[in-house]
Amino acid sequence: MKVTTIPTAGLGDATYLLTHDGGGVIIDPQRDVERFERAVLDAGIRLTHVLETHIHNDYVSGGRELARRTGARLVMPAAAGVAFDHLPAFHNEDLPGGSVLIRPLHTPGHTPEHMSYAILVDGEVVAVFSGGSLLVGSAGRSDLLGEDRAEQLARLQYLSVHRLAGLPDATGLYPTHGEGSFCTASGAGRSVSTIGMERRTNPVLVYPDVDAFVVGQLAGLQPFPAYYAHMGPINLMGPEPLRGRGVDVLDPSDLPDRARLVDIRPRAAYAAGHIPGSLGLEMSDQVAVWAGWLLPFDSPVVLVAEPGQNVEEVARQFGRIGFDNVLGVVYGVSGWVEAGGSVASFETRTTGELAEAMAAGEDPQVLDVRSPGEWEAIHLAGSVHRYVPQLKEGLPDGLDRSEAVWVICGSGYRAFAASAFLEAAGLRVVVVTPGGVPDVAERLSRLTA
């Protein structure tokens, strides 16, 4: 038996292809199914089943389309109640999967219908695909369906993670959510594990009772992207296939009405000159995650890019989270200027420059746009905090509009995104990059020692 991990780094998720004796099973595929089709072809096997562990909150599922393309049987948790054809999975009712046996295990908690899938070969459990239940070093969070359901789901999650922990020590553990996923309750590990290893090291398995588990799981949960609210309904009703087409090049003088501009150029280019109102999200595997958090859902989007940047990959990222209105791309801002448009710009400073200014008593005005957990762990004295997604609702009190605002995060990425909201409010922006608050704090301690 072989398990191949197919990661989606920007989401912090993994899809798995299990192969054995000429047959195969795929677990939790995202919407861009071509990469999973290629994996099946490369493996030279016949795909028998596509397994979905739950109704996903962080991406649009590709399970339905992948099953249609390959002729595999789509398996969904029996309690999911989806509005399309599937094979319902019931607890402990085994499914023949070619040369392996698939054993669904009801593991509610991350969602009510959640199923994990144990894999048996010759009657022995060899692997379990745990979705958003037991993770490497953590467990799936239980508050994504609302705070009013979070406690009861956490109680169910306690039972579920211990159900999985009862499997044999050598059982391979393959969770869907991992490091970088907002679906984890705490810092999940970056890879796979075994049940024995988790029983020895996973902190969610050492709580003395269910009440302590609930308190621990619900303490310190961080905000999650706004687009999550739209994923469940889409996945319940039946996701449409991802449209595989190129990204049109647009005339800067005739951009579509109401389009949101997402500038994926390098940070230095954005700071030096950008179209006013554009959102600065340097090309990365998380462009769509942050755009999906900062823009209204499924907004019409126009990309601003440099020649040679992979705009098709960015459009694919948007499609994974249900943003199907990527209308095209504008290359650079020169065409915009030639058409009579103005550009905005701002200063950037290093973490060392900020530390030196603070040590010299210049008292710069600092806005920290990191998450609440990062702020609580460490922050700069006198700084103001507002998590970047919360800037959509308005600026924090206490900012002096007559002075520059030094915007900082952990690396500079979120600070650049935050700059659009500050500029729209008429403030003068200075973005700290590269690096962030921990770097400034360390440099400041040396300067003032």
Side-chain angles (χ1 to χ4, degrees):
M1 187 190 79
K2 179 181 178 181
V3 178
T4 301
T5 304
I6 306 171
T8 306
L11 296 173
D13 288 339
T15 297
Y16 298 99
L17 170 62
L18 178 148
T19 59
H20 183 265
D21 197 23
V25 176
I26 279 185
I27 301 92
D28 287 346
Q30 286 80 24
R31 195 182 183 194
D32 51 324
V33 298
E34 290 80 8
R35 56 191 172 129
F36 310 122
E37 288 185 290
R38 287 195 298 271
V40 170
L41 289 172
D42 291 345
I45 52 93
R46 181 177 66 88
L47 195 68
T48 63
H49 293 81
V50 176
L51 309 179
E52 294 276 20
T53 57
H54 60 293
I55 303 300
H56 303 286
N57 289 291
D58 57 336
Y59 62 85
V60 177
S61 169
R64 183 189 187 194
E65 177 64 8
L66 183 60
R68 185 191 68 79
R69 292 191 185 193
T70 61
R73 198 68 196 271
L74 175 63
V75 179
M76 303 284 298
V82 297
F84 48 89
D85 184 53
H86 66 283
L87 178 64
F90 295 91
H91 178 65
N92 261 342
E93 290 192 8
D94 295 343
L95 306 171
S99 58
V100 301
L101 195 68
I102 303 167
R103 178 166 294 166
L105 301 174
H106 190 209
T107 46
H110 185 51
T111 61
E113 81 289 345
H114 193 286
M115 282 282 181
S116 300
Y117 297 96
I119 304 298
L120 287 75
V121 175
D122 298 327
E124 299 293 329
V125 178
V126 295
V128 64
F129 296 93
S130 60
S133 186
L134 183 64
L135 311 180
V136 179
S138 185
R141 60 193 295 171
S142 62
D143 65 321
L144 298 183
L145 300 183
E147 293 183 4
D148 55 334
R149 305 179 69 178
E151 180 178 343
Q152 183 56 35
L153 284 173
R155 292 183 178 278
L156 295 173
Q157 187 74 298
Y158 175 83
L159 300 174
S160 294
V161 296
H162 283 278
R163 169 173 282 165
L164 294 175
L167 294 171
D169 276 4
T171 304
L173 177 69
Y174 300 93
T176 299
H177 302 310
E179 186 177 50
S181 171
F182 289 100
C183 285
T184 65
S186 58
R190 66 174 64 248
S191 59
V192 301
S193 185
T194 66
I195 292 298
M197 178 62 71
E198 293 309 297
R199 192 182 295 116
R200 292 189 295 273
T201 63
N202 195 323
V204 305
L205 296 174
V206 300
Y207 287 104
D209 54 41
V210 63
D211 291 328
F213 176 89
V214 170
V215 171
Q217 285 295 99
L218 298 184
L221 288 173
Q222 298 302 297
F224 54 85
Y227 78 82
Y228 275 26
H230 302 273
M231 298 298 94
I234 291 173
N235 288 326
L236 278 168
M237 296 309 297
E240 294 297 321
L242 185 62
R243 295 196 299 269
R245 60 177 179 82
V247 180
D248 296 333
V249 179
L250 302 179
D251 183 344
S253 66
D254 189 27
L255 296 181
D257 292 339
R258 298 185 301 280
R260 302 297 183 113
L261 301 179
V262 177
D263 193 323
I264 64 171
R265 295 176 302 150
R267 298 178 198 178
Y270 180 80
H274 55 271
I275 299 174
S278 61
L279 183 63
L281 293 172
E282 184 180 42
M283 177 73 180
S284 76
D285 56 20
Q286 286 201 320
V287 168
V289 170
W290 284 105
W293 201 340
L294 299 175
L295 299 178
F297 182 70
D298 202 17
S299 297
V301 168
V302 171
L303 303 176
V304 182
E306 289 193 337
Q309 288 190 298
N310 191 347
V311 293
E312 288 79 12
E313 166 58 24
V314 175
R316 189 159 39 247
Q317 287 187 35
F318 274 102
R320 286 179 187 145
I321 64 167
F323 274 65
D324 290 333
N325 289 315
V326 177
L327 303 180
V329 60
V330 172
Y331 285 108
V333 298
S334 59
W336 170 262
V337 173
E338 291 169 4
S342 63
V343 295
S345 63
F346 53 77
E347 294 180 70
T348 62
R349 299 289 184 88
T350 66
T351 54
E353 288 176 304
L354 176 56
E356 289 166 6
M358 295 180 72
E362 296 178 15
D363 198 24
Q365 184 173 219
V366 177
L367 175 63
D368 185 335
V369 296
R370 297 174 302 150
S371 71
E374 292 172 286
W375 165 266
E376 290 167 7
I378 183 174
H379 59 268
L380 303 175
S383 60
V384 176
H385 179 247
R386 178 65 58 93
Y387 193 22
V388 59
Q390 296 171 334
L391 291 173
K392 295 187 300 182
E393 303 161 9
L395 302 183
D397 295 332
L399 290 180
D400 185 346
R401 293 178 175 272
S402 67
E403 295 185 9
V405 179
W406 294 54
V407 190
I408 191 168
C409 60
S411 68
Y413 194 87
R414 290 170 291 180
F416 268 79
S419 69
F421 298 97
L422 298 173
E423 282 187 339
L427 277 74
R428 184 160 62 90
V429 176
V430 176
V431 171
V432 180
T433 185
V437 170
D439 306 291
V440 175
E442 181 182 0
R443 180 70 176 269
L444 191 58
S445 68
R446 293 201 304 267
L447 291 172
T448 57

